[in-house]
Amino acid sequence: MSGPYARTAPQPDPRTPDPRTPGTGAPHEAADDPARALLARLDGLRGRVSALVEQRAAGDPTADDPLRGLYLSEEAVRHLLTTWGALTDDGTAHGTGTGTGTGTGTGTGRAVGGEHAPGDRLARLAGRADLTPLDVAVLLAALAPDVDRTFEPLYGYLNDDVSRRRATVGLALDLCGVPAQSAAARARLHARAPLAALGLLEVAEPERPFLTRSLRVPDRLTGHLLGDDTPDAALIGLLRPMPAPLPADAAAEPFALRLAALLESGPATVYLREQREGDGLAAYAAALRAADLEGLCCAEPGGHVAELLREARLSGRALVVPELPEAPGPLLRALAAAPDVTVLLADPRPYDPHWFPEDPLVLEAPGRRDGGTAAWRAALGGDADGFDLAAAVAPYRLGGDRVRRAARAARALAAFEGGPDGPLTAAHVRRAARRQSASGLESHTRRIRPAVDWGDLVLPEGPLGQLRELALRARHRDRVLGDWRLSAGGGRGRGVLGLFAGESGTGKTLSAEVVAADLGLDLYVVQLSSVVDKYVGETEKNLERIFTEADRTDAVLLFDEADAVFGKRSEVKGAHDRYANMESSYLLQRLESFEGIALLTTNLRANIDEAFTRRLDLVVDFPFPDAGQRLALWRHGLAHVPSADGIDAAPLARDFELAGGSIRSAVVTAAYLAAGRGGEVTADDLLEGARREYRKAGRLVPGEGRW
């Protein structure tokens, strides 16, 4: 910027208050105005520049040479100095700027610029970054031309080259009153010294002799010292806003308070291992709010670590990295080189000591339990009063601001379906919450979005009650296993595991879909063809990917025809038996630590290893339907099908012993026959459908040609 002291600037209106003059009501009069504080420091620097110009002119035999510096005449320099003096109240520059540096690199007395003014950001930065008075003086000399253009020609004169209008190393040391031969003073400009290492000053033009190298101050630092808090342009697209903390549950709130106390005590480096994506960021947001601090959040720093650390240092914020790259070592080592900045890291991976030269504080991020009802209620407000919110969100363990995003999505769904004033329902909340879950399972599974309910099941009371209990366990596992301390220990997870056993077509897969629908979750069916591998160890790797992703996803995992991977271990008679037993042993161990909901189906319960059944929460036996249940299944299948009047399915239920899946197939066959002729389903269509199911099974058709 040109500044108020530029020779080319228009003369100010006498009625316009001088921004440097106290008591005029000017914008810079505010007690904490950073620009005014910086201008006050530059007033002191002017005095030192004036003195140095006088000294050079007095003893320079070429001072009158019109080509000196190609060229800046003595008259022009005198004019600049006169202009500076006229801009002060008493005709002289504010402060003498004597800069009594001792040559030791620390300086004594007043550094260039005089006393600290209110709102002096440079003073605060010096305190946070542990800068010496000499560092501050050099920094001020380097940034002066970026704040006030009238320094440029004078720096050109002092550099003996009017084209070099920035401070050089030699000129900065001269302005600070430090001998150019002082090793300690020169060391303050080395790459590992605070000014360069912290990204506050660049010593440019390395090909030049040291004393003639230019000093450059990043534009971001200059803007900050003038009161501009716009982030560095290099960080555009990398920064994300810190989420506003939602109410924490009973487990997370004490953790946030302890973490806040740590952050208040000074710079710290913390690594939170999170179970679910967003748990770490949510914990940091709550802790920062409790400590009355701000966070600078960047998910993918890439090659901009220096800019991020500088931004955090200038703003006094904690640097929050909620996602680490696949190989985090280089990033973390770069962050560890800034002990003056609080660095908060989060990742689902366990901490590896090779990542850091010195270990950070490693903690487990608390997850939201029982769905985080308090957080949901805060996000939804009064819109959630029309239904049982706790029951609706119990199956979900969304972390971070996923709850807030799901709440916005739920409101949008309600407005789309019911108009601007449409009521928010539990169904809207569940649909929105499902969309916030990760979908990494789909590489090895098939997703089913349930479209059924309990009314679609035709089962005896025993199995039906067990299925409802399974959904109940999924909702209240955190309370029973966590709050009531009924976990078996030994590192076991809080997963819910169930086995559905019964003949083909008895409703095992449909029941899994109903349970998922009741919980408001998607059902993921494991594709065994993409899991089982002939190469040793590959099956376990594929299963581990599925279990790891299922732990992080709000979903129900279904192993259909589980005999293939959960079968009995056998006596080892060869290499094949040994490796097959290893797969079973791995699964036994992995089920112990599983945190999600997994259901297994089998046509023959005896095929499942007893060690698996001991680890299951429920084993539900699906009996073959009797005549009464078969009649209910026929009627349920025909509920939405246009049928001829007077159809009686009782003879079909009595004469054809079909499971529920076969009855549905028979109804589908009858429906196609009716659709083909453009009419309604008749008794003959149903009979033909039932007969085809018998023939498919290779069974003798009862009453062939008579019924």
Side-chain angles (χ1 to χ4, degrees), residues 611-673:
F612 286 114
T613 59
R614 184 180 64 81
R615 288 165 170 79
L616 299 172
D617 294 295
L618 285 172
V619 177
V620 183
D621 289 308
F622 287 74
F624 194 87
D626 57 24
Q629 292 169 355
R630 292 198 295 272
L631 178 58
L633 288 167
W634 280 104
R635 290 174 175 172
H636 183 272
L638 292 168
H640 302 288
V641 177
S643 306
D645 295 336
I647 286 185
D648 184 10
L652 295 172
R654 182 187 65 246
D655 297 338
F656 291 87
E657 296 181 354
L658 297 173
S662 298
I663 290 175
R664 178 188 175 278
S665 296
V667 173
V668 171
T669 298
Y672 275 117
L673 292 173

Side-chain angles (χ1 to χ4, degrees), residues 55-81:
Q55 177 185 346
R56 294 278 181 88
D60 186 358
T62 65
D64 295 330
D65 185 353
L67 298 181
R68 187 184 188 277
L70 294 175
Y71 99 101
L72 188 66
S73 67
E74 185 70 21
E75 292 77 8
V77 174
R78 297 290 181 188
H79 175 73
L80 286 174
L81 298 179

Side-chain angles (χ1 to χ4, degrees), residues 433-519:
R434 281 205 304 269
R435 292 169 185 170
Q436 294 300 318
S437 292
S439 57
L441 282 169
E442 295 191 35
S443 59
H444 290 292
T445 63
R446 174 172 56 90
R447 183 172 68 171
I448 297 176
R449 290 186 173 176
V452 293
D453 55 29
W454 294 105
D456 293 302
L457 288 180
V458 179
L459 291 173
E461 286 300 322
L464 194 60
Q466 287 182 295
L467 292 175
R468 293 187 182 276
E469 181 186 342
L470 192 64
L472 185 72
R473 285 174 177 255
R475 284 192 175 93
H476 300 293
R477 51 186 163 151
D478 284 330
R479 179 184 301 176
V480 173
L481 300 179
D483 297 343
W484 296 351
R485 302 175 63 86
L486 289 178
S487 175
R492 295 183 181 178
R494 298 178 183 176
V496 177
L497 308 174
L499 173 65
F500 296 170
E503 294 184 31
S504 178
T506 52
K508 302 184 295 297
T509 304
L510 177 63
S511 297
E513 188 175 349
V514 169
V515 170
D518 183 66
L519 294 172

Side-chain angles (χ1 to χ4, degrees), residues 491-494 587-594 614-615:
R492 295 183 181 178
R494 298 178 183 176
L587 283 169
L588 287 171
Q589 296 173 4
R590 191 60 180 86
L591 287 177
E592 293 276 3
S593 61
F594 186 55
R614 184 180 64 81
R615 288 165 170 79

Side-chain angles (χ1 to χ4, degrees), residues 173-245:
L173 295 179
D174 284 343
L175 291 174
C176 297
V178 177
Q181 298 77 24
S182 170
R186 294 163 73 102
R188 304 306 295 177
L189 296 169
H190 287 176
R192 293 191 177 183
L195 286 176
L198 302 182
L200 305 178
L201 183 70
E202 177 190 358
V203 182
E205 302 172 306
E207 72 281 359
R208 283 182 170 272
F210 184 69
L211 292 178
T212 60
R213 295 175 186 174
S214 297
L215 301 179
R216 298 176 182 271
V217 176
D219 292 342
R220 176 66 190 100
L221 175 57
T222 304
H224 168 76
L225 296 178
L226 289 170
D228 182 5
D229 293 321
T230 305
D232 195 305
L235 302 179
I236 294 176
L238 298 180
L239 300 180
R240 65 167 67 169
M242 282 292 294

